[in-house]
Amino acid sequence: SLDPNVDDIKRFCISLRRSAKEERILFHYNGHGVPRPTASGEIWVFNRGFTQYIPVSLYDLQTWLGAPCIFVYDCHAAGFIVSNFLRFVEKRKIDEANGIKEPGVPPAKAFEDCIHLAACASDETFPMLPDLPADLFTCCLTSPIDIAIRWFVLQSPLSKKYYPDLHIPGRISERRTPLGELNWIFTSITDTIAWTLFPRPLFKRLFRQDLVVAALFRNFLLAERMMRVHNCH
């Protein structure tokens, strides 16, 4: 949903949940060029006239999207969004204990099953690097092979002379091609890192139950290492 206003994003989220039913929804917030998330847990969209940004509460977002979801936050101070999301989950628990519950919204416990991938902590901002994409975190999650090789080449003193335009031939799904072979190697390495580091139940949940979640978390291992170099955690 490109440059949505608040009504667009509400309709979009409600429609996603209606079509997904009980399945997990992927919600990707690419918040570049907008203000930072607020301390009270709000992200930014356009108003109806596209004349200014207005905040959208995460509480409203929870209501529209329901659960389960996997959230990707690619913006400055993304940690604010995660902490405030969890704060609103606790508020829903208190409301339910007092007999207050919105119709059509899943119980608060369902929101604890949501997964969050954030580009940086609450007090961090992105690096401004002319040789790398502004949405570096998103690139790691969606195009890991391309960005990993570009990253590698940029570390080489030969990069400017010999690699002016980087293109890897082939298809991700075909291992006989260079791109497919690199993707197969990348999958093997990231799965091995995860198997070595994670408790078995967590490894099974993140890397074996859902193909989209597994792909995102393999790519997140790359993002975590790449963003850390630029003091984003």
Side-chain angles (χ1 to χ4, degrees):
S1 184
L2 300 177
D3 294 331
N5 63 41
V6 65
D7 292 328
D8 290 339
I9 203 68
K10 180 179 180 179
R11 282 195 299 268
F12 184 62
C13 292
I14 292 173
S15 173
L16 277 177
R17 177 49 64 194
R18 189 182 297 121
S19 60
K21 297 184 173 61
E22 304 301 317
E23 296 296 320
R24 193 181 297 278
I25 289 173
L26 168 60
F27 182 86
H28 184 164
Y29 176 62
N30 197 331
H32 290 267
V34 302
R36 296 158 64 101
T38 67
S40 56
E42 295 163 318
I43 59 176
W44 297 88
V45 296
F46 281 111
N47 64 355
R48 291 181 183 177
F50 294 94
T51 55
Q52 65 184 34
Y53 294 116
I54 58 173
V56 173
S57 169
L58 290 176
Y59 190 90
D60 290 338
L61 200 62
Q62 290 175 350
T63 301
W64 301 336
L65 282 172
C69 292
I70 179 167
F71 294 92
V72 176
Y73 310 119
D74 189 356
C75 60
H76 297 301
F80 265 139
I81 305 177
V82 179
S83 57
N84 281 293
F85 186 99
L86 301 177
R87 180 170 61 84
F88 284 128
V89 172
E90 294 302 315
K91 181 182 183 303
R92 289 181 182 276
K93 287 182 180 178
I94 295 171
D95 289 344
E96 287 179 10
N98 293 328
I100 304 170
K101 187 178 183 305
E102 296 178 71
V105 179
K109 190 168 181 58
F111 290 101
E112 294 181 340
D113 190 40
C114 291
I115 298 170
H116 307 267
L117 301 179
C120 59
S122 303
D123 58 344
E124 294 175 343
T125 57
F126 287 157
M128 301 297 176
L129 301 170
D131 291 326
L132 289 173
D135 57 345
L136 179 60
F137 184 66
T138 292
C139 289
C140 290
L141 296 181
T142 57
S143 310
I145 307 304
D146 289 339
I147 198 65
I149 291 181
R150 182 171 298 278
W151 173 267
F152 173 78
V153 167
L154 286 173
Q155 315 307 310
S156 167
L158 303 177
S159 60
K160 296 263 192 271
K161 184 175 181 182
Y162 291 103
Y163 303 100
D165 185 22
L166 191 63
H167 174 69
I168 308 160
R171 297 174 61 184
I172 285 282
S173 57
E174 295 180 7
R175 190 183 164 188
R176 293 183 179 181
T177 65
L179 185 59
E181 177 72 6
L182 286 170
N183 186 65
W184 184 84
I185 295 169
F186 176 78
T187 300
S188 302
I189 292 171
T190 48
D191 266 11
T192 302
I193 292 171
W195 176 259
T196 305
L197 295 179
F198 292 170
R200 294 297 174 261
L202 184 61
F203 175 85
K204 183 178 179 183
R205 180 190 177 209
L206 298 181
F207 287 84
R208 289 296 180 267
Q209 286 186 349
D210 183 304
L211 290 176
V212 173
V213 172
L216 281 174
F217 266 89
R218 279 196 295 270
N219 300 348
F220 182 74
L221 292 177
L222 171 68
E224 193 273 337
R225 284 154 176 74
M226 200 172 287
M227 298 295 286
R228 189 199 309 158
V229 173
H230 301 291
N231 298 314
C232 292
H233 303 88

